[in-house]
Amino acid sequence: MRKLHLISATALAMSLAMPAYAQNAPQADEDTGFNDEIVVTAQRQAQSLQDVPIAVSAFSEEALEKQQIENSSDLQLTLPNVTFSKGNFTGSSFTIRGIGDLCVGVSCDSATAIHLDGTPLLSTRLFETEFFDLGRIEVLRGPQGTLFGRNATSGVVNIVPNRPDLNGFAAAGEAEYGNFNSMKAKGMVNVALGDTLGARVSGFYLKRDGYTENLFDGSDADGRDMYAVRGSLRWQPSESTTVDLMAYYFKENDDRARIQKQLCQRDPTGVLGCLPNRRDFGATNTNSTFVGVLSSREFLTTQGIPAALALGSIYGPDTNANFVNPANVRQVRTDFNPEYKASEEQYQARIEQDLGKMKLQVTGFYHKSSVDSRQDYTLSIQDRAGFAPALNTLAVFAANGIPTGLAAPAFVPGSSAYFAPIAAAIIPGGPNGNLCTSDTEFSGMGSYGGQKICAATPLDFDRSNQGSKDWSVEGILSSDLDGPFNFLLGGIYADFKMAENSYFVNSFGIDYVTGILGSFNSFANGLPPSLLGTPYFRNNTDNLHVKSYGMFGEAYYDFSDKLKLTLGLRYNNDKKAVRARSTLASFLVPYNSTSAFSSPFVGLFDADPGLAGNQLFQERSVAFDEFTGRAVLDYKITDDNLIYASYSRGYKSGGINPPLQPIFAVDESFAPEFIDAFEIGSKNSFAGGTFTLNATAFYYKYKALQLSRIVARTSVNDNVDADIYGLELESIIRPDRQLAINIGLSYLNTKVSQDKLLSNPRDPSGGRADAVIIKDITNGSNCAVASRSGSAAGANGFVNQVNALINAGAIPGLRAGAGLRPTAAFPADSGLAATGAFSVCGALSALAGTVGSSFGGVDVLTAGVPVNIKGNKLPQAPNFKWNVGIQHTTEFDNGLTLVPRLDLIYVGDSYGNIFNGRINKVKGYSQINAQIQLSGREDRWYVRGFVQNLSNSNATTGLYVTDQSSGLYTNIFTLEPRRYGVAAGFKF
């Protein structure tokens, strides 16, 4: 039976065919999606795609349908040197020619500009939605700015919806059903309201079950429940005037998984949590986490807190010790299922006025979007068994107070008031009842303000939310003069405001730690019973305001009918102001407070150490302005053969790094990035259009490329220089009207071109054998001790001596009895030559100049030993991509057509972050899509069967590594599983 199945599948693959790119082809007898010449507006005027001296790919509405391009993830598969992947938090991005949104933060600009019919979308949920009722999609590769309102360094994705047709009534509809109980509907109605006015309404609805099975409760996660509707009006009071109005609304409310799967080569020592040699189906050692260290008996002892209140030991079994992470990317075990909400509104008004030899276009745009996502932070189920002794002790303290060790009084009078609020908040049903975790709320009180989520297991989850609005006005004046000279002039002003952007990490352990530490602190100082607020991590931006304007234009000179020169210039002016703060156990908050920041002790909190005094927010502003431009020389060898050479100068403004906790030495802001792009290309059509071949070669010189990395529970950005070069080929072969073959091929080489020293969070030792990796028991971060003499014995001896002093109580502020152990080797397969230990980085730094001298001299490096990343590959930049397809149309005498098709795509190797190495490698993968469609006469109706990811590949498409205080596990993103189904629709 298996052999028969294989033979059948092979026969099907041989009989099906693949779609072609939406470009020109000789015949237009049947609607196959690539017969008609594609007209694009890549240069702000209607031109044949083959006449545009820019590397641009375009997809007509028919091509999008026939190539199964339903969303942004599908769009990137058949584009040369273009990838699309999820990223940190709720982000997603296109990477074009190795340049994408490698910068992470609210003040980062997008490298790839997303446009709605030429209007830039400054913050969009386009990546969540499905494509519907589009006239075309254009993807321009390379820096853009002299033609478009928003500057872009990597390229532009321009989404062009269909506008109302004034010629009469039209309608279309489609219903689809597939596996995972997927149901999707799309529809459109177009009405001509007289000779000068038309209206169009379209929309889609999608609902399906999740791709991911939760083995904990048998539920499915990563489903979809979303819809969008678009309405537009077109008024043409005269042949010279066109007025367009458009409104769009999108909403999603489902269990989309922002984090799909976590991988970890478990570190038995707990110093790192996950080792840096492999991505296994393991679980992080929670002794390495913020909760693991601060709730340990070792740390509590240094604070003079009874060890009986410790949730565990940094050297003992951790809460993930018995957890089994399913060895399948489509399966998880989680006690907190994902929640995902997103919405978007767009309103666009445009007037186009012909002025004889000139045309004026003015566009106004208003835009509002939001996203709110929660998910299990570690995708694991922690074992509460080890908490029992501490919770029982807490119950005793809550009922009676602090034991005195005396016969009478047995407990410190009045001290129970310091612990009763903890028990009431997090174990309201007693030590054996449900455990309560702070909700992701804004007061800063969480469980201690009554806002909590309770369960039998200790929960840990995160939340990423954002709300923004923006508006813009753009004007463009273009000429169509009779002589050799023409021009385009444009200007845009955009105003963007973000009133809320937060990233939370909540866990039962954080609630416990902030209560215990706060109570003992306030008791010892004679203060009212207090917790340490906030009882969760929250990195919050409550205001981002961006004001940006640009002036741009191009001049065109035709030396002859064949030779043309284009010169473009742009001026950018960007101003950004940010107000933000990061809190976690940062200051005392009385238990009876209603808001953490109304605490009388909030003066202990400083959100901005860069300014004198205590600031509740870090407030920063930056401003940038720059001239950029491009020059293009193109020559038409014949009407069907074009060659061109171009130079472009690209620019993306800098920004502001968010506040860190604890404080590390990183720059407060990051610089703008610049790109010098050189490109040569050729566009060719042969044999009357039966064969097209477009080729492009490019070289980029990148200055101050913005790159993100996780430091101190926050994403911070650095600048680095890089060189990029590559080659792109696109071809369509159409030997007859029935058969079409398309081929795409791209090669990409990227590398860091400067000496740049950065510490790798996965390996703070920097690969050195004479270093010791330290897990700081006071905050969960890692630092490193490196020997100046190159002697491993010196670094190890120094750490052991300092730990002995900590154990003896000889370090100010740390009580005796911690029981910190000497340095120890990591496992043989860890990929680490260094040793590791638990200690206190601050104590090591303070004693490096004294005790360290006895061991040949040492350096204590707060963020770890920096390594030189020169020569490393840029992230999300596959070395090869290719796609091949064949499509065949069978025409029947009764007017029916049958079109089978097969798509084969391959994406080569890449890396998930700038440090490269085996653990960060994203291996190449392939995807096969197939489809067969039966259409009625003149395509009035159709029935389609389809399958995506025919081989059911689970390939990883992207990754990022989490923070050291969370255990350094790796979040990965994969292809969607095999999808198949049927669809039926009509058009008239």
Side-chain angles (χ1 to χ4, degrees):
M1 181 64 70
R2 183 171 181 177
K3 182 176 181 181
L4 177 61
H5 176 75
L6 178 61
I7 294 172
S8 299
T10 304
L12 174 66
M14 294 176 66
S15 66
L16 294 177
M18 184 183 235
Y21 277 102
Q23 296 177 356
N24 61 329
Q27 297 92 0
D29 299 70
E30 69 281 343
D31 183 12
T32 57
F34 52 85
N35 291 330
D36 297 326
E37 182 177 60
I38 292 296
V39 175
V40 298
T41 54
Q43 295 194 125
R44 291 286 192 169
Q45 58 180 317
Q47 293 175 284
S48 167
L49 182 143
Q50 291 297 102
D51 292 336
V52 179
I54 297 174
V56 55
S57 298
F59 299 85
S60 69
E61 182 177 25
E62 293 77 20
L64 292 171
E65 293 177 357
K66 295 183 182 302
Q67 293 186 248
Q68 301 191 59
I69 299 174
E70 300 177 341
N71 49 47
S72 298
S73 182
D74 297 332
L75 181 64
Q76 55 97 20
L77 289 175
T78 54
L79 289 168
N81 279 328
V82 177
T83 60
F84 175 84
S85 181
K86 296 180 183 179
N88 293 24
F89 315 114
T90 54
S92 300
S93 69
F94 285 98
T95 298
I96 301 178
R97 294 176 172 176
I99 303 170
D101 291 338
L102 305 178
C103 175
V104 177
V106 296
S107 66
C108 294
D109 288 345
S110 177
T112 303
I114 309 299
H115 286 206
L116 174 69
D117 200 3
T119 300
L121 301 176
L122 301 187
S123 177
T124 178
R125 308 321 302 174
L126 170 73
F127 306 129
E128 276 95 358
T129 190
E130 300 278 299
F131 297 146
F132 66 97
D133 196 29
L134 300 181
R136 66 183 179 278
I137 297 179
E138 303 168 352
V139 181
L140 289 71
R141 302 184 293 278
Q144 310 294 327
T146 60
L147 286 166
F148 289 90
R150 187 66 175 167
N151 201 51
T153 48
S154 70
V156 168
V157 177
N158 188 28
I159 311 294
V160 184
N162 281 318
R163 299 288 187 173
D165 184 350
L166 306 188
N167 293 323
F169 178 81
E174 179 181 290
E176 176 188 298
Y177 182 79
N179 60 331
F180 301 103
N181 199 29
S182 176
M183 294 175 285
K184 182 164 67 173
K186 295 189 295 184
M188 175 277 295
V189 176
N190 184 97
V191 180
L193 305 172
D195 295 334
T196 63
L197 184 65
R200 191 180 188 101
V201 178
S202 57
F204 87 92
Y205 173 72
L206 171 64
K207 184 177 177 63
R208 68 160 171 79
D209 296 338
Y211 293 149
T212 304
E213 179 185 9
N214 183 0
L215 299 181
F216 175 69
D217 60 9
S219 64
D220 293 324
D222 205 19
R224 299 290 185 273
D225 190 350
M226 58 185 180
Y227 68 90
V229 61
R230 181 189 301 117
S232 55
L233 290 172
R234 169 164 284 185
W235 180 43
Q236 290 183 328
S238 68
E239 293 184 358
S240 61
T241 304
T242 300
V243 178
D244 282 308
L245 301 176
M246 184 167 60
Y248 167 89
Y249 180 72
F250 164 76
K251 185 173 183 179
E252 178 177 2
N253 187 353
D254 50 39
D255 57 0
R256 180 194 291 265
R258 175 168 38 85
I259 302 166
Q260 182 176 340
K261 189 72 176 180
Q262 292 174 350
L263 304 181
C264 173
Q265 180 190 1
R266 182 176 170 83
D267 176 15
T269 73
V271 171
L272 287 176
C274 297
L275 297 169
N277 196 37
R278 300 189 307 270
R279 300 198 302 264
D280 294 342
F281 287 98
T284 189
N285 187 329
T286 57
N287 287 338
S288 67
T289 66
F290 175 87
V291 169
V293 296
L294 268 75
S295 68
S296 69
R297 63 176 56 97
E298 289 78 14
F299 171 72
L300 294 183
T301 299
T302 68
Q303 305 304 301
I305 296 174
L309 285 168
L311 293 179
S313 166
I314 53 178
Y315 302 111
D318 69 293
T319 56
N320 275 347
N322 298 315
F323 176 74
V324 177
N325 185 8
N328 184 330
V329 298
R330 310 295 182 199
Q331 293 179 330
V332 296
R333 280 192 176 89
T334 170
D335 47 10
F336 189 93
N337 285 313
E339 303 168 357
Y340 200 95
K341 297 178 182 179
S343 66
E344 182 164 13
E345 299 174 40
Q346 302 170 0
Y347 304 94
Q348 185 186 63
R350 173 174 291 166
I351 182 170
E352 292 186 358
Q353 180 67 50
D354 286 338
L355 304 170
K357 296 295 184 180
M358 305 284 183
K359 177 182 285 188
L360 176 65
Q361 180 188 93
V362 178
T363 304
F365 188 70
Y366 176 80
H367 179 221
K368 185 178 180 180
S369 71
S370 67
V371 63
D372 200 338
S373 167
R374 299 202 302 182
Q375 187 161 344
D376 190 324
Y377 184 61
T378 60
L379 287 182
S380 66
I381 301 168
Q382 297 184 51
D383 186 355
R384 64 178 286 175
F387 295 174
L391 298 183
N392 287 326
T393 303
L394 172 61
V396 172
F397 276 48
N400 304 288
I402 302 173
T404 63
L406 304 174
F411 300 93
V412 177
S415 62
S416 64
Y418 287 83
F419 301 96
I422 306 176
I426 66 175
I427 52 170
N432 299 316
N434 281 347
L435 307 179
C436 297
T437 300
S438 288
D439 205 348
T440 50
E441 50 82 46
F442 296 160
S443 75
M445 296 302 297
S447 292
Y448 297 101
Q451 301 186 64
K452 53 193 175 184
I453 302 175
C454 303
T457 55
L459 300 178
D460 55 344
F461 50 89
D462 67 355
R463 178 185 182 187
S464 181
N465 73 311
Q466 178 176 301
S468 66
K469 58 184 179 180
D470 60 271
W471 61 271
S472 63
V473 177
E474 180 184 52
I476 295 176
L477 179 67
S478 58
S479 72
D480 187 15
L481 306 176
D482 295 331
F485 174 76
N486 276 286
F487 66 88
L488 177 147
L489 291 175
I492 187 172
Y493 178 83
D495 189 285
F496 175 86
K497 292 182 179 179
M498 181 184 294
E500 167 59 25
N501 177 279
S502 288
Y503 181 68
F504 295 81
V505 177
N506 296 52
S507 82
F508 170 79
I510 295 178
D511 281 288
Y512 182 85
V513 165
T514 54
I516 294 296
L517 295 181
S519 286
F520 274 98
N521 188 312
S522 54
F523 174 79
N525 290 283
L527 301 174
S530 303
L531 72 143
L532 283 177
T534 54
Y536 46 72
F537 172 75
R538 184 185 180 195
N539 192 308
N540 171 233
T541 299
D542 81 337
N543 183 57
L544 167 66
H545 193 182
V546 179
K547 296 180 180 180
S548 176
Y549 69 87
M551 295 177 287
F552 53 93
E554 291 194 341
Y556 313 100
Y557 190 82
D558 295 322
F559 292 101
S560 67
D561 292 341
K562 296 181 178 296
L563 184 63
K564 180 179 179 180
L565 175 66
T566 300
L567 296 175
L569 186 66
R570 179 185 181 92
Y571 172 72
N572 300 275
N573 187 289
D574 300 291
K575 295 179 180 178
K576 302 179 180 180
V578 179
R579 187 170 70 171
R581 65 184 172 203
S582 177
T583 58
L584 171 63
S586 302
F587 54 95
L588 288 172
V589 180
Y591 285 112
N592 60 3
S593 300
T594 57
S595 171
F597 289 93
S598 65
S599 166
F601 311 114
V602 74
L604 299 172
F605 171 65
D606 187 8
D608 191 354
L611 294 179
N614 292 72
Q615 320 294 326
L616 293 185
F617 284 93
Q618 180 191 83
E619 297 189 52
R620 293 287 186 272
S621 61
V622 290
F624 308 94
D625 65 310
E626 195 67 34
F627 283 95
T628 58
R630 77 169 185 140
V632 185
L633 190 65
D634 64 270
Y635 181 74
K636 276 200 166 186
I637 303 172
T638 71
D639 289 342
D640 296 324
N641 305 97
L642 172 74
I643 59 173
Y644 67 91
S646 69
Y647 163 76
S648 300
R649 173 76 165 173
Y651 153 84
K652 188 173 76 168
S653 66
I656 303 162
N657 278 320
L660 300 184
Q661 189 193 56
I663 303 301
F664 280 85
V666 299
D667 293 331
E668 289 185 348
S669 62
F670 49 92
E673 60 182 37
F674 299 91
I675 178 175
D676 291 305
F678 304 88
E679 183 174 312
I680 57 173
S682 176
K683 297 191 173 184
N684 305 277
S685 181
F686 302 101
T690 60
F691 173 49
T692 62
L693 176 64
N694 296 342
T696 309
F698 59 91
Y699 173 72
Y700 289 174
K701 195 75 175 176
Y702 226 106
K703 182 72 174 177
L705 176 70
Q706 297 162 3
L707 285 172
S708 172
R709 58 191 171 112
I710 300 294
V711 177
R713 297 182 282 274
T714 304
S715 183
V716 301
N717 299 284
D718 305 291
N719 294 97
V720 65
D721 296 346
D723 290 339
I724 303 172
Y725 62 87
L727 177 69
E728 298 161 351
L729 298 173
E730 297 176 274
S731 179
I732 297 174
I733 305 170
R734 185 73 186 269
D736 56 50
R737 56 181 285 157
Q738 286 81 31
L739 180 63
I741 303 169
N742 72 276
I743 301 172
L745 174 67
S746 60
Y747 168 74
L748 184 66
N749 186 290
T750 68
K751 68 175 182 179
V752 175
S753 60
Q754 70 170 122
D755 290 310
K756 183 74 173 184
L757 297 175
L758 296 175
S759 56
N760 182 356
R762 289 192 192 270
D763 179 9
S765 71
R768 290 174 57 169
D770 62 338
V772 181
I773 300 173
I774 302 298
K775 171 61 66 172
D776 193 325
I777 64 171
T778 67
N779 56 43
S781 66
N782 288 118
C783 65
V785 175
S787 170
R788 292 180 180 175
S789 65
S791 167
N796 282 271
F798 167 70
V799 172
N800 293 337
Q801 180 63 43
V802 173
N803 276 2
L805 293 173
I806 294 174
N807 293 338
I811 304 297
L814 300 176
R815 301 284 186 88
L820 296 180
R821 298 178 184 176
T823 60
F826 291 99
D829 63 346
S830 66
L832 296 168
T835 56
F838 288 92
S839 189
V840 179
C841 294
L844 292 166
S845 296
L847 296 173
T850 54
V851 176
S853 61
S854 302
F855 295 93
V858 296
D859 293 307
V860 179
L861 302 154
T862 305
V865 178
V867 294
N868 195 345
I869 62 170
K870 183 176 182 179
N872 285 10
K873 303 291 184 182
L874 297 181
Q876 302 170 24
N879 51 2
F880 290 102
K881 277 190 72 177
W882 57 263
N883 61 278
V884 178
I886 304 173
Q887 175 171 308
H888 186 273
T889 302
T890 300
E891 299 174 310
F892 300 99
D893 294 339
N894 59 4
L896 302 183
T897 59
L898 184 67
V899 184
R901 175 173 63 240
L902 181 74
D903 291 303
L904 175 61
I905 304 105
Y906 176 77
V907 180
D909 295 345
S910 62
Y911 289 97
N913 68 40
I914 193 62
F915 295 103
N916 294 184
R918 181 171 59 182
I919 195 170
N920 295 314
K921 188 171 186 178
V922 178
K923 294 183 179 179
Y925 61 90
S926 62
Q927 180 166 325
I928 303 171
N929 299 334
Q931 171 173 296
I932 186 166
Q933 179 168 314
L934 177 67
S935 300
R937 190 184 297 270
E938 297 180 346
D939 283 341
R940 294 296 188 186
W941 59 266
Y942 58 89
V943 178
R944 178 173 64 245
F946 66 90
V947 58
Q948 290 185 321
N949 191 3
L950 181 65
S951 63
N952 201 26
S953 170
N954 293 330
T956 298
T957 61
L959 62 85
Y960 71 89
V961 61
T962 192
D963 179 63
Q964 295 166 336
S965 66
S966 298
L968 292 170
Y969 53 80
T970 302
N971 289 307
I972 65 166
F973 312 105
T974 73
L975 290 174
E976 293 187 343
R978 179 169 51 229
R979 291 182 54 245
Y980 55 86
V982 294
F986 67 90
K987 299 178 183 178
F988 64 85

